[in-house]
Amino acid sequence: MAFAPAALLIFSVLFFTTSLTYARPDAPNYDKPDGPLSYNFYDKSCPNLGMIVRWGVWAALKNDTRMAASLLRLHFHDCFVDGCEGSVLLDDTKDFKGEKNALPNRNSARGYDVIDSIKADVEKYCPSTVSCVDILALAAREAVVMSGGPFWPVLLGRLDGLSASEKSANEQLPSPFEPLDNITAKFVSKGLDVKDVVVLSGAHTIGFAQCFTFKRRLFNYKGTGKPDPSLDSSFLSNLQTLCPNVDKSNTKLTALDSQTINRFDNMYYKNIVNNTGLLESDQALIGDPKTAAMVKDYSADPFLFAKDFAASMVKLGKLGLITGQDGQIRKKCSVVN
Protein backbone atom coordinates (compact mmCIF):
# COMPACT_ATOMS: atom_id res chain seq x y z
CA MET A 1 0.00 0.00 0.00
CA ALA A 2 1.45 3.36 -1.01
CA PHE A 3 1.79 5.74 1.89
CA ALA A 4 1.68 9.28 0.53
CA PRO A 5 2.63 12.26 2.75
CA ALA A 6 -0.72 13.94 2.01
CA ALA A 7 -2.60 10.84 3.16
CA LEU A 8 -0.44 10.79 6.26
CA LEU A 9 -1.40 14.38 7.11
CA ILE A 10 -5.12 13.79 6.54
CA PHE A 11 -5.08 10.61 8.59
CA SER A 12 -3.11 12.33 11.35
CA VAL A 13 -5.87 14.90 11.80
CA LEU A 14 -8.59 12.27 11.52
CA PHE A 15 -6.99 9.94 14.05
CA PHE A 16 -6.19 12.72 16.51
CA THR A 17 -9.78 13.90 16.59
CA THR A 18 -11.27 10.42 16.88
CA SER A 19 -8.75 8.95 19.30
CA LEU A 20 -9.61 11.49 21.99
CA THR A 21 -12.63 9.32 22.80
CA TYR A 22 -10.45 6.39 23.88
CA ALA A 23 -9.72 6.02 27.57
CA ARG A 24 -6.01 6.09 28.35
CA PRO A 25 -4.35 4.91 31.54
CA ASP A 26 -2.08 7.15 33.57
CA ALA A 27 0.89 8.08 31.41
CA PRO A 28 4.09 6.17 32.20
CA ASN A 29 7.48 7.80 32.45
CA TYR A 30 8.32 7.76 28.76
CA ASP A 31 11.95 8.65 29.37
CA LYS A 32 12.58 5.68 31.64
CA PRO A 33 13.71 2.51 29.84
CA ASP A 34 12.33 -0.90 30.81
CA GLY A 35 15.30 -3.20 30.32
CA PRO A 36 16.27 -3.02 26.64
CA LEU A 37 12.95 -1.39 25.73
CA SER A 38 11.66 2.17 25.92
CA TYR A 39 8.53 4.06 24.88
CA ASN A 40 10.47 6.54 22.76
CA PHE A 41 12.84 4.06 21.11
CA TYR A 42 12.07 5.22 17.55
CA ASP A 43 11.28 8.87 18.23
CA LYS A 44 14.38 10.06 16.37
CA SER A 45 15.07 7.17 14.01
CA CYS A 46 11.48 6.72 12.76
CA PRO A 47 9.26 9.53 14.08
CA ASN A 48 6.26 8.67 11.86
CA LEU A 49 6.18 5.01 12.94
CA GLY A 50 3.02 5.27 15.04
CA MET A 51 1.05 7.01 12.33
CA ILE A 52 2.20 4.56 9.62
CA VAL A 53 1.07 1.60 11.73
CA ARG A 54 -2.26 3.26 12.55
CA TRP A 55 -2.91 3.93 8.89
CA GLY A 56 -2.11 0.34 7.92
CA VAL A 57 -4.37 -1.10 10.61
CA TRP A 58 -7.17 1.35 9.81
CA ALA A 59 -7.03 0.41 6.12
CA ALA A 60 -7.05 -3.31 6.99
CA LEU A 61 -10.05 -2.98 9.31
CA LYS A 62 -11.93 -0.88 6.78
CA ASN A 63 -11.53 -3.78 4.35
CA ASP A 64 -12.16 -6.56 6.89
CA THR A 65 -13.42 -5.95 10.43
CA ARG A 66 -12.34 -9.46 11.46
CA MET A 67 -8.72 -8.35 11.06
CA ALA A 68 -8.78 -6.61 14.47
CA ALA A 69 -9.09 -9.93 16.29
CA SER A 70 -6.62 -11.56 13.88
CA LEU A 71 -3.87 -9.01 14.59
CA LEU A 72 -4.40 -9.23 18.34
CA ARG A 73 -4.29 -13.02 18.19
CA LEU A 74 -1.16 -12.95 16.02
CA HIS A 75 0.63 -10.83 18.63
CA PHE A 76 -0.46 -13.18 21.43
CA HIS A 77 0.60 -16.27 19.48
CA ASP A 78 3.97 -14.67 18.79
CA CYS A 79 4.74 -13.64 22.36
CA PHE A 80 3.44 -16.81 23.97
CA VAL A 81 5.76 -19.05 21.94
CA ASP A 82 9.37 -18.51 23.06
CA GLY A 83 8.76 -14.79 23.59
CA CYS A 84 8.01 -11.70 21.52
CA GLU A 85 10.47 -12.10 18.64
CA GLY A 86 8.35 -12.20 15.50
CA SER A 87 8.79 -15.94 15.02
CA VAL A 88 5.11 -16.42 14.11
CA LEU A 89 5.72 -14.30 10.99
CA LEU A 90 8.46 -16.52 9.55
CA ASP A 91 7.91 -18.88 6.63
CA ASP A 92 9.28 -22.43 6.78
CA THR A 93 12.84 -22.92 5.52
CA LYS A 94 15.11 -25.89 4.90
CA ASP A 95 16.54 -25.29 8.39
CA PHE A 96 13.33 -25.13 10.43
CA LYS A 97 9.61 -25.74 10.41
CA GLY A 98 8.02 -22.51 11.50
CA GLU A 99 4.88 -21.71 13.46
CA LYS A 100 2.51 -20.81 10.63
CA ASN A 101 1.58 -24.46 10.11
CA ALA A 102 1.47 -25.45 13.76
CA LEU A 103 -1.92 -26.84 14.79
CA PRO A 104 -3.11 -23.67 16.59
CA ASN A 105 -2.22 -21.52 13.54
CA ARG A 106 -2.80 -23.66 10.46
CA ASN A 107 -5.74 -22.38 8.39
CA SER A 108 -6.53 -20.14 11.33
CA ALA A 109 -3.94 -17.43 12.00
CA ARG A 110 -4.41 -14.37 9.76
CA GLY A 111 -2.97 -10.92 9.29
CA TYR A 112 0.45 -11.78 7.90
CA ASP A 113 -0.26 -9.72 4.78
CA VAL A 114 -1.26 -6.70 6.88
CA ILE A 115 2.00 -6.79 8.84
CA ASP A 116 3.98 -7.27 5.60
CA SER A 117 2.24 -4.24 4.08
CA ILE A 118 2.88 -2.04 7.11
CA LYS A 119 6.50 -3.21 7.21
CA ALA A 120 6.93 -2.26 3.53
CA ASP A 121 5.62 1.24 4.28
CA VAL A 122 7.89 1.58 7.31
CA GLU A 123 10.88 0.49 5.22
CA LYS A 124 10.23 3.33 2.75
CA TYR A 125 10.48 5.92 5.52
CA CYS A 126 12.91 4.22 7.92
CA PRO A 127 14.96 1.50 6.17
CA SER A 128 16.33 -1.32 8.36
CA THR A 129 15.26 0.49 11.53
CA VAL A 130 12.05 -1.01 12.97
CA SER A 131 11.66 -4.68 13.85
CA CYS A 132 8.71 -6.72 12.64
CA VAL A 133 7.92 -7.75 16.21
CA ASP A 134 7.58 -4.10 17.25
CA ILE A 135 5.28 -3.44 14.28
CA LEU A 136 3.13 -6.40 15.32
CA ALA A 137 2.95 -5.17 18.92
CA LEU A 138 1.85 -1.71 17.78
CA ALA A 139 -0.63 -3.12 15.26
CA ALA A 140 -2.30 -5.26 17.94
CA ARG A 141 -2.75 -2.21 20.16
CA GLU A 142 -4.19 -0.11 17.33
CA ALA A 143 -6.57 -2.92 16.35
CA VAL A 144 -7.99 -3.00 19.87
CA VAL A 145 -8.27 0.78 20.15
CA MET A 146 -10.00 1.07 16.77
CA SER A 147 -12.48 -1.58 17.93
CA GLY A 148 -13.43 0.50 20.95
CA GLY A 149 -11.02 -1.09 23.41
CA PRO A 150 -8.41 0.37 25.75
CA PHE A 151 -5.16 2.08 24.85
CA TRP A 152 -1.92 0.87 26.42
CA PRO A 153 1.62 2.21 26.07
CA VAL A 154 3.76 -0.09 23.92
CA LEU A 155 7.40 -0.47 24.88
CA LEU A 156 9.62 -0.65 21.79
CA GLY A 157 13.09 -1.82 20.82
CA ARG A 158 12.56 -5.58 20.44
CA LEU A 159 14.66 -7.48 17.93
CA ASP A 160 13.35 -10.08 15.50
CA GLY A 161 14.38 -13.67 16.13
CA LEU A 162 16.40 -15.80 13.74
CA SER A 163 14.28 -18.95 13.83
CA ALA A 164 10.84 -20.39 14.60
CA SER A 165 9.54 -23.71 15.88
CA GLU A 166 6.39 -25.56 14.91
CA LYS A 167 7.00 -27.89 17.87
CA SER A 168 7.15 -25.00 20.34
CA ALA A 169 3.90 -23.55 19.02
CA ASN A 170 2.15 -26.91 19.31
CA GLU A 171 3.37 -27.41 22.86
CA GLN A 172 3.17 -23.92 24.33
CA LEU A 173 -0.01 -22.32 23.01
CA PRO A 174 -3.12 -22.94 25.13
CA SER A 175 -5.94 -24.89 23.49
CA PRO A 176 -9.70 -24.40 23.87
CA PHE A 177 -9.91 -28.16 24.55
CA GLU A 178 -7.60 -28.07 27.57
CA PRO A 179 -8.71 -27.95 31.21
CA LEU A 180 -8.40 -24.56 32.87
CA ASP A 181 -5.61 -25.84 35.16
CA ASN A 182 -3.49 -26.76 32.12
CA ILE A 183 -4.08 -23.37 30.51
CA THR A 184 -3.20 -21.60 33.76
CA ALA A 185 0.00 -23.65 34.09
CA LYS A 186 1.06 -22.54 30.60
CA PHE A 187 0.50 -18.90 31.55
CA VAL A 188 2.41 -19.29 34.82
CA SER A 189 5.33 -20.86 32.93
CA LYS A 190 5.58 -17.59 31.00
CA GLY A 191 5.63 -15.39 34.09
CA LEU A 192 1.93 -14.56 33.82
CA ASP A 193 -0.72 -15.51 36.38
CA VAL A 194 -4.32 -16.62 36.77
CA LYS A 195 -5.55 -13.02 36.56
CA ASP A 196 -3.84 -12.71 33.17
CA VAL A 197 -5.66 -15.87 32.05
CA VAL A 198 -9.02 -14.28 32.82
CA VAL A 199 -8.11 -10.85 31.48
CA LEU A 200 -6.46 -11.93 28.23
CA SER A 201 -9.28 -14.39 27.56
CA GLY A 202 -11.38 -11.26 27.29
CA ALA A 203 -9.81 -10.76 23.86
CA HIS A 204 -12.55 -13.18 22.76
CA THR A 205 -14.92 -10.24 22.88
CA ILE A 206 -14.01 -9.89 19.18
CA GLY A 207 -13.26 -12.45 16.50
CA PHE A 208 -14.64 -15.77 15.31
CA ALA A 209 -14.05 -19.45 16.02
CA GLN A 210 -14.34 -22.42 13.70
CA CYS A 211 -17.08 -24.88 14.61
CA PHE A 212 -14.66 -27.72 15.32
CA THR A 213 -13.24 -25.77 18.28
CA PHE A 214 -16.49 -26.06 20.25
CA LYS A 215 -18.66 -28.63 18.42
CA ARG A 216 -18.19 -31.39 20.95
CA ARG A 217 -19.99 -29.16 23.47
CA LEU A 218 -23.05 -29.29 21.23
CA PHE A 219 -23.36 -33.02 20.58
CA ASN A 220 -20.90 -35.14 22.56
CA TYR A 221 -19.67 -33.32 25.63
CA LYS A 222 -16.86 -35.29 27.29
CA GLY A 223 -17.97 -38.46 25.51
CA THR A 224 -21.48 -38.44 26.96
CA GLY A 225 -23.24 -38.31 23.61
CA LYS A 226 -25.17 -35.31 24.92
CA PRO A 227 -24.64 -31.52 24.87
CA ASP A 228 -22.78 -29.61 27.57
CA PRO A 229 -25.43 -29.21 30.31
CA SER A 230 -24.04 -25.79 31.27
CA LEU A 231 -24.98 -24.26 27.89
CA ASP A 232 -28.02 -22.01 27.77
CA SER A 233 -30.72 -23.98 25.92
CA SER A 234 -31.56 -21.26 23.40
CA PHE A 235 -27.87 -20.62 22.72
CA LEU A 236 -27.31 -24.36 22.28
CA SER A 237 -30.13 -24.61 19.74
CA ASN A 238 -28.73 -21.70 17.71
CA LEU A 239 -25.24 -23.20 17.69
CA GLN A 240 -26.52 -26.63 16.62
CA THR A 241 -28.18 -24.94 13.67
CA LEU A 242 -25.04 -22.98 12.78
CA CYS A 243 -22.73 -25.97 13.30
CA PRO A 244 -24.60 -29.19 12.47
CA ASN A 245 -23.04 -32.47 13.51
CA VAL A 246 -21.37 -33.21 10.16
CA ASP A 247 -17.72 -32.91 9.20
CA LYS A 248 -18.33 -30.33 6.50
CA SER A 249 -19.40 -27.81 9.16
CA ASN A 250 -16.05 -27.98 10.98
CA THR A 251 -14.57 -24.87 9.37
CA LYS A 252 -17.70 -22.72 9.50
CA LEU A 253 -17.19 -19.54 11.51
CA THR A 254 -19.18 -18.35 14.53
CA ALA A 255 -18.68 -15.11 16.45
CA LEU A 256 -16.98 -15.57 19.81
CA ASP A 257 -19.29 -12.85 21.13
CA SER A 258 -22.51 -12.83 19.13
CA GLN A 259 -23.91 -9.84 21.03
CA THR A 260 -21.37 -7.16 20.01
CA ILE A 261 -19.41 -8.93 17.30
CA ASN A 262 -16.93 -6.21 16.30
CA ARG A 263 -16.92 -4.16 19.50
CA PHE A 264 -14.14 -4.61 22.06
CA ASP A 265 -16.11 -4.48 25.31
CA ASN A 266 -16.88 -6.59 28.39
CA MET A 267 -19.79 -8.50 26.82
CA TYR A 268 -17.59 -11.63 26.74
CA TYR A 269 -17.83 -11.83 30.52
CA LYS A 270 -21.57 -11.19 30.55
CA ASN A 271 -21.96 -14.06 28.11
CA ILE A 272 -20.05 -16.39 30.42
CA VAL A 273 -22.18 -15.38 33.41
CA ASN A 274 -25.26 -16.12 31.27
CA ASN A 275 -23.88 -19.54 30.21
CA THR A 276 -23.42 -18.41 26.62
CA GLY A 277 -19.63 -18.55 26.45
CA LEU A 278 -18.68 -20.18 23.15
CA LEU A 279 -15.50 -22.12 23.90
CA GLU A 280 -15.20 -24.73 26.61
CA SER A 281 -12.16 -22.88 27.97
CA ASP A 282 -14.19 -19.66 28.18
CA GLN A 283 -17.15 -21.13 30.03
CA ALA A 284 -14.78 -22.94 32.42
CA LEU A 285 -13.80 -19.57 33.90
CA ILE A 286 -17.13 -19.27 35.71
CA GLY A 287 -16.93 -22.80 37.10
CA ASP A 288 -13.68 -22.34 39.03
CA PRO A 289 -13.68 -20.33 42.27
CA LYS A 290 -10.21 -18.94 41.43
CA THR A 291 -11.58 -17.21 38.34
CA ALA A 292 -15.37 -16.90 38.77
CA ALA A 293 -15.19 -13.79 40.98
CA MET A 294 -13.03 -11.99 38.40
CA VAL A 295 -15.42 -12.92 35.59
CA LYS A 296 -18.30 -11.42 37.56
CA ASP A 297 -16.31 -8.29 38.36
CA TYR A 298 -15.42 -7.72 34.70
CA SER A 299 -18.99 -8.43 33.58
CA ALA A 300 -20.18 -5.66 35.89
CA ASP A 301 -17.42 -3.11 35.33
CA PRO A 302 -16.21 -2.42 31.77
CA PHE A 303 -13.68 0.15 32.99
CA LEU A 304 -12.04 -2.36 35.32
CA PHE A 305 -11.72 -4.81 32.44
CA ALA A 306 -10.25 -2.14 30.14
CA LYS A 307 -7.68 -1.11 32.77
CA ASP A 308 -6.64 -4.66 33.59
CA PHE A 309 -6.55 -5.75 29.95
CA ALA A 310 -4.17 -2.89 29.15
CA ALA A 311 -1.92 -3.91 32.06
CA SER A 312 -1.85 -7.57 30.99
CA MET A 313 -1.00 -6.61 27.41
CA VAL A 314 2.00 -4.65 28.67
CA LYS A 315 3.15 -7.77 30.56
CA LEU A 316 2.60 -9.96 27.51
CA GLY A 317 4.65 -7.61 25.33
CA LYS A 318 7.73 -8.04 27.55
CA LEU A 319 7.97 -11.83 27.34
CA GLY A 320 11.19 -13.44 26.09
CA LEU A 321 12.91 -10.44 24.56
CA ILE A 322 15.88 -10.91 22.24
CA THR A 323 18.89 -8.62 22.37
CA GLY A 324 22.30 -8.29 20.76
CA GLN A 325 23.56 -10.89 18.31
CA ASP A 326 20.59 -13.19 18.95
CA GLY A 327 18.31 -10.94 16.91
CA GLN A 328 18.10 -8.58 13.95
CA ILE A 329 15.88 -6.06 12.18
CA ARG A 330 14.31 -8.12 9.39
CA LYS A 331 13.89 -6.37 6.06
CA LYS A 332 10.95 -8.68 5.28
CA CYS A 333 8.94 -10.15 8.12
CA SER A 334 8.56 -13.60 6.60
CA VAL A 335 12.30 -14.33 6.17
CA VAL A 336 15.49 -13.90 8.14
CA ASN A 337 17.92 -11.45 6.52
Side-chain angles (χ1 to χ4, degrees):
M1 177 184 67
F3 199 84
L8 178 62
L9 178 61
I10 293 169
F11 182 73
S12 176
V13 174
L14 171 66
F15 189 83
F16 178 75
T17 56
T18 57
S19 66
L20 293 178
T21 61
Y22 299 123
R24 281 164 165 71
D26 293 336
N29 182 348
Y30 287 99
D31 295 322
K32 182 181 179 182
D34 191 326
L37 306 183
S38 69
Y39 296 104
N40 55 8
F41 191 86
Y42 299 109
D43 281 7
K44 293 181 179 178
S45 60
C46 194
N48 285 331
L49 174 62
M51 194 59 63
I52 296 171
V53 174
R54 284 188 201 108
W55 174 269
V57 173
W58 176 81
L61 267 59
K62 185 179 179 184
N63 183 58
D64 177 8
T65 54
R66 283 181 57 207
M67 193 52 66
S70 298
L71 291 172
L72 177 57
R73 183 171 183 254
L74 205 58
H75 176 48
F76 176 83
H77 279 212
D78 179 39
C79 289
F80 213 84
V81 179
D82 299 328
C84 305
E85 21 70 297
S87 58
V88 74
L89 304 173
L90 286 171
D91 290 336
D92 292 356
T93 72
K94 60 182 178 59
D95 297 317
F96 63 79
K97 278 190 171 183
E99 297 164 27
K100 288 184 176 180
N101 287 310
L103 290 175
N105 295 327
R106 187 186 309 157
N107 301 319
S108 169
R110 306 166 71 241
Y112 301 112
D113 55 334
V114 175
I115 299 303
D116 287 344
S117 177
I118 294 172
K119 173 64 171 176
D121 283 335
V122 170
E123 284 294 305
K124 293 174 189 173
Y125 284 82
C126 321
S128 302
T129 301
V130 182
S131 65
C132 294
V133 63
D134 276 351
I135 290 172
L136 180 55
L138 286 168
R141 194 268 307 278
E142 298 306 330
V144 169
V145 169
M146 291 180 195
S147 301
F151 175 97
W152 64 90
V154 176
L155 286 158
L156 299 168
R158 303 168 187 80
L159 290 176
D160 296 319
L162 306 179
S163 186
S165 171
E166 181 182 59
K167 181 174 182 290
S168 292
N170 284 330
E171 292 174 353
Q172 296 176 28
L173 285 169
S175 160
F177 307 111
E178 287 184 285
L180 181 58
D181 285 346
N182 289 26
I183 293 172
T184 301
K186 288 183 175 181
F187 272 69
V188 170
S189 73
K190 303 295 179 182
L192 303 172
D193 56 32
V194 68
K195 181 178 180 181
D196 295 310
V197 174
V198 179
V199 174
L200 293 176
S201 293
H204 289 168
T205 184
I206 54 175
F208 288 73
Q210 297 183 64
C211 288
F212 83 88
T213 61
F214 59 86
K215 202 158 68 170
R216 76 173 188 177
R217 296 187 71 199
L218 312 182
F219 302 102
N220 188 25
Y221 181 63
K222 294 186 176 179
T224 62
K226 298 179 180 179
D228 182 346
S230 71
L231 271 171
D232 173 83
S233 58
S234 177
F235 186 59
L236 170 62
S237 178
N238 288 338
L239 289 178
Q240 287 176 330
T241 301
L242 289 167
C243 300
N245 195 20
V246 291
D247 287 344
K248 67 180 181 180
S249 74
N250 284 348
T251 56
K252 287 185 67 176
L253 294 173
T254 301
L256 286 159
D257 166 19
S258 59
Q259 302 302 309
T260 54
I261 295 175
N262 297 315
R263 180 78 181 171
F264 198 100
D265 55 21
N266 69 327
M267 186 59 71
Y268 164 84
Y269 299 101
K270 295 182 180 182
N271 292 339
I272 293 174
V273 170
N274 294 328
N275 293 318
T276 56
L278 187 66
L279 302 179
E280 215 170 304
S281 55
D282 292 334
Q283 196 59 49
L285 296 173
I286 198 68
D288 189 306
K290 296 190 298 292
T291 55
M294 284 184 276
V295 169
K296 292 175 182 176
D297 286 344
Y298 293 139
S299 73
D301 190 341
F303 299 102
L304 177 65
F305 167 55
K307 178 178 72 71
D308 287 354
F309 185 84
S312 284
M313 288 303 295
V314 172
K315 288 175 67 176
L316 177 73
K318 294 193 284 187
L319 297 181
L321 304 178
I322 289 179
T323 58
Q325 298 302 309
D326 294 328
Q328 62 180 208
I329 305 293
R330 285 185 217 141
K331 294 178 181 177
K332 288 185 65 178
C333 294
S334 59
V335 293
V336 174
N337 293 344

